[in-house]
């Protein structure tokens, strides 16, 4: 398995298993994370770390996940497709998530496409595109 694919697979495994100390091993020091189309107010409502769009730096990215873990009872990620871009510096990844929102106990199911860029086999950019309606469906009060 290619080192870049391995970095992404380990990233999702660490997220699923809540091994936050291991997340940073897959990122460059100056890694950038963008969650499109979320913006700051949506994410900042659920975490104590200030999310700025984009989020910059390995430590800041890891802390965002560490400090927002409580919003899901569980959340598992599954990679569906990995597409290396010609030249090997980027990849497009299709993946899903399945979990349970802590405050409502509703199921959360997401589908994503992300662009990853690499430096020395580590993630330098993670730009995720997802369906923004999934989060409110799981976290808003009302019938499950």
């Amino acid at each position: 398995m290619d080192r870049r694919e391995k970095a992404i697979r380990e990233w999702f495994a660490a997220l699923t298993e809540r091994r936050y100390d291991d997340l940073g091993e897959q990122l460059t020091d100056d890694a950038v994370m963008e969650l499109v189309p979320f913006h700051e107010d949506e994410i900042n409502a659920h975490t104590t770390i200030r999310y700025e769009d984009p989020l910059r730096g390995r430590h800041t990215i890891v802390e965002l996940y560490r400090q927002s873990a409580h919003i899901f009872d569980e959340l598992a990620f599954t990679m569906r497709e990995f597409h290396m871009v010609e030249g090997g510096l980027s990849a497009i990844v299709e993946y899903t998530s399945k979990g349970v929102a802590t405050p409502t106990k509703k199921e959360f199911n997401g589908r994503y496409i992300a662009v990853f860029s690499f430096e020395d086999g580590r993630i330098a950019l993670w730009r995720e595109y997802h369906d923004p309606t999934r989060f409110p469906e799981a976290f808003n009060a009302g019938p499950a």
Side-chain angles (χ1 to χ4, degrees):
M1 178 185 316
D2 179 273
R3 169 66 182 114
R4 293 156 294 198
E5 183 176 353
K6 186 176 179 191
I8 292 171
R9 287 188 185 282
E10 179 55 32
W11 171 262
F12 287 122
L15 276 177
T16 296
E17 297 164 12
R18 299 183 183 211
R19 293 184 284 115
Y20 300 110
D21 291 336
D22 294 344
L23 286 177
E25 293 177 16
Q26 307 310 320
L27 300 173
T28 62
D29 290 340
D30 59 349
V32 174
M33 180 181 84
E34 292 180 77
L35 301 175
V36 181
F38 276 153
H39 29 94
E40 296 171 19
D41 293 340
E42 293 165 315
I43 293 172
N44 290 332
H46 299 283
T47 184
T48 57
I49 193 168
R50 179 87 179 131
Y51 175 81
E52 297 177 3
D53 192 21
L55 197 61
R56 297 180 185 279
R58 174 194 337 209
H59 175 75
T60 307
I61 294 167
V62 170
E63 283 305 305
L64 175 77
Y65 282 97
R66 185 186 314 278
Q67 293 184 29
S68 58
H70 67 281
I71 69 173
F72 289 102
D73 288 349
E74 58 188 64
L75 185 62
F77 292 89
T78 303
M79 268 182 56
R80 300 292 182 197
E81 297 285 336
F82 182 91
H83 309 277
M84 192 55 119
V85 176
E86 189 174 336
L89 298 178
S90 298
I92 298 169
V93 181
E94 299 175 54
Y95 52 101
T96 60
S97 66
K98 183 173 180 150
V100 176
T102 299
T104 63
K105 303 304 183 207
K106 291 181 182 178
E107 255 190 38
F108 175 80
N109 296 301
R111 288 184 65 184
Y112 315 86
I113 292 179
V115 175
F116 287 87
S117 294
F118 306 93
E119 290 177 14
D120 298 322
R122 292 170 52 201
I123 300 166
L125 170 71
W126 175 24
R127 182 177 297 129
E128 175 185 277
Y129 297 87
H130 57 272
D131 179 352
T133 65
R134 300 296 177 130
F135 199 85
E137 287 171 358
F139 283 86
N140 290 337

